[in-house]
Amino acid sequence: MGSETRQLHVFLFPFMAHGHMLPMVDIAKLFAARGVRTTLVLTPRNASLFEKSVERANKARGHPLELRLIRFPSGTGLPDGGENLDHVTNSAQTVRFVSAVRMLEEPFDELVEAARPDCIISDMFLTWTAKVAEKHGIPRLVFYGSSYFSVCLHDVIMRFHPEKSAEYSETEPFLVPDFPDPIELTKSQLPVFSNPMLTALMADAAEADSKAYGIVQNSFYELEPAYADYLREKLGKRAWSVGPVALCNSESTEEMAERETTNGWDDEGKEVLRWLDSQKPSSVLYLCFGSICKFSPAQHAETAAAIESSGCRFIWVKKKSEVLPEGFEERNRGKGMVLNGWAPQILILNHPAIGAFVTHCGWNSTLEAITAGLPMITWPVFAEQFFNEKLVTKVLKIGVGVGNISWVSWEVEERPIIKREAIEEAVRSVMGEGEEAKRMREKARELGEMAKMAVQKGQSSYRDLSCLIEELAMHSAQKTTTDLLT
């Protein structure tokens, strides 16, 4: 496979949001580490986030990994630096952002025309890359950035629409039909796209994905075997599990610390790890809600009260613009730490002092917690997060929810308030010493070991990536032969 693999050329193009770019950059590293010529396509401002990471990967292992820049459209009406969805603050800007991303089709087509890669791996939201791939006769692989469970559940909901039965109110649970596990949802937990452009985008994604060569999944077979099988056998999708992809950085503490920031591993990040070194094993609660979602001061007041009442030591990562109750940080100095805007999350999650993770159930964070062997307190807000919560709490059974059942767009700060009593109860049930808490911790540890094993040579995710590379190399060779004969 050696010489053929070294000649294979793969283009990767992520959607411009941190939660989408991070795993695709890691996937690029995985391909490059196998000797595949790998090109990562990013806009200039987004490329600046990963230049150090790519440089380190190439320097450390001689990876054939390169960055190609594609200029983000100007005059879009977006705020300064608006090349990233994380900087979008309202519905009008979301529409402008989606429109601007669509304008990248022509320059991307020109890149593909010039480079002639053997395969394109693109985010599900970059639907127009399907047309570019078809035009050049190149197979396109889709990156979803979510769990097998979530992908399957979304498909079932869209096919059967059980929520449309007149007997169900917004908050009355209904059973998902034709599914491996008995999963209940409510109408209020399902994604709502009231904007016509976003509705059209999801429809375009479904159409483009139906023509794709297959799916690259940031998961591992042993985590959700029933849903990997369901996707492949019941839904007829070709899929390769290559995760947890963040583990490709595990040999470098610096890489794990800096993969989400351009500011380097700052003093605050180092200080939090020093503080964790002084804490007892499994005694610290970690709270972080991703790079996009914001909570109101009223919600932060309830959360702060729950943390104080629970008696847990904690690390709480909040947005710089978010305001915690007056006096909270002073009262808890030494007992907890509040970080503003960024934290070395993977290093924190893998520290032995961390006992549980309060999470919004974004798939990157969820999988990072699973890989670290941690139970979770689940607090989904939007996107497919409610689906991931069901995987954690009902299938894997390594978490407890705070009780949120209201899907609200990430752009909206005001949402139903989760009361302090519900938050504290969830925290105590996971961080406590009861039998159920012990069982969750033990199951989470087992899954963490399975995650680390999956990416080892000869194991499930390693084998899947090998099979994908071999298949793409074979497809490329056959195409070359056909082109020569015609």
Side-chain angles (χ1 to χ4, degrees), residues 76-96:
T76 59
L78 293 168
D80 184 44
E83 295 181 16
N84 193 305
L85 187 65
D86 296 13
H87 300 147
V88 171
T89 58
N90 56 55
S91 297
Q93 289 182 2
T94 301
V95 172
R96 296 188 194 111

Side-chain angles (χ1 to χ4, degrees), residues 187-192 288-296 299 319 322 358-363 366 377-389 402-416 418:
K187 289 182 183 180
S188 63
Q189 292 173 313
L190 300 180
V192 178
C288 183
F289 299 96
S291 58
I292 294 180
C293 181
K294 297 179 181 179
F295 287 125
S296 66
Q299 182 61 78
K319 307 293 181 295
E322 292 178 317
V358 183
T359 175
H360 64 307
C361 298
W363 184 238
T366 301
I377 293 106
T378 58
W379 194 329
V381 178
F382 65 98
E384 87 290 357
Q385 294 163 11
F386 285 93
F387 295 176
N388 291 333
E389 178 187 46
V402 299
N404 186 34
I405 61 169
S406 298
W407 195 105
V408 179
S409 171
W410 58 271
E411 303 160 338
V412 180
E413 183 178 296
E414 294 297 332
R415 47 179 56 89
I418 305 299

Side-chain angles (χ1 to χ4, degrees), residues 392-409:
V392 169
T393 60
K394 301 301 182 182
V395 179
L396 303 177
K397 299 181 179 178
I398 57 169
V400 173
V402 299
N404 186 34
I405 61 169
S406 298
W407 195 105
V408 179
S409 171

Side-chain angles (χ1 to χ4, degrees), residues 269-482:
K270 294 175 182 177
E271 175 59 27
V272 73
L273 293 175
R274 286 194 291 268
W275 181 78
L276 282 172
D277 288 340
S278 69
Q279 305 304 310
K280 295 179 181 178
S282 302
S283 64
V284 178
L285 183 69
Y286 176 63
L287 302 90
C288 183
F289 299 96
S291 58
I292 294 180
C293 181
K294 297 179 181 179
F295 287 125
S296 66
Q299 182 61 78
H300 278 327
E302 294 296 313
T303 305
I307 292 172
E308 289 191 277
S309 183
S310 73
C312 285
R313 294 178 175 268
F314 66 90
I315 295 171
W316 187 348
V317 184
K318 70 174 188 67
K319 307 293 181 295
K320 290 181 179 179
S321 60
E322 292 178 317
V323 179
L324 299 187
E326 185 177 355
F328 174 78
E329 293 187 56
E330 290 73 17
R331 288 194 304 274
N332 290 281
R333 203 173 302 281
K335 181 181 176 182
M337 296 188 71
V338 175
L339 305 182
N340 290 291
W342 174 84
Q345 178 160 296
I346 292 180
L347 292 177
I348 291 173
L349 291 175
N350 283 278
H351 196 285
I354 299 296
F357 181 17
V358 183
T359 175
H360 64 307
C361 298
W363 184 238
N364 291 335
S365 290
T366 301
L367 190 56
E368 287 167 9
I370 290 169
T371 304
L374 289 175
M376 285 166 263
I377 293 106
T378 58
W379 194 329
V381 178
F382 65 98
E384 87 290 357
Q385 294 163 11
F386 285 93
F387 295 176
N388 291 333
E389 178 187 46
K390 295 296 182 182
L391 173 65
V392 169
T393 60
K394 301 301 182 182
V395 179
L396 303 177
K397 299 181 179 178
I398 57 169
V400 173
V402 299
N404 186 34
I405 61 169
S406 298
W407 195 105
V408 179
S409 171
W410 58 271
E411 303 160 338
V412 180
E413 183 178 296
E414 294 297 332
R415 47 179 56 89
I417 299 295
I418 305 299
K419 295 297 185 182
R420 64 190 68 185
E421 294 81 7
I423 301 169
E424 182 183 351
E425 182 180 356
V427 169
R428 289 186 181 279
S429 67
V430 175
M431 291 287 286
E433 292 303 319
E435 289 303 312
E436 183 61 16
K438 292 178 181 178
R439 185 206 60 76
M440 279 191 286
R441 287 197 287 269
E442 181 58 32
K443 178 68 181 297
R445 280 193 291 268
E446 291 174 2
L447 289 173
E449 292 303 313
M450 292 164 64
K452 296 177 181 69
M453 179 62 70
V455 299
Q456 298 300 310
K457 189 171 183 178
Q459 300 303 313
S460 61
S461 290
Y462 189 97
R463 291 197 309 269
D464 259 22
L465 181 57
S466 296
C467 289
L468 176 56
I469 291 172
E470 290 173 3
E471 186 168 328
L472 291 174
M474 187 178 301
H475 183 280
S476 177
Q478 290 173 344
K479 183 177 184 297
T480 300
T481 301
T482 301

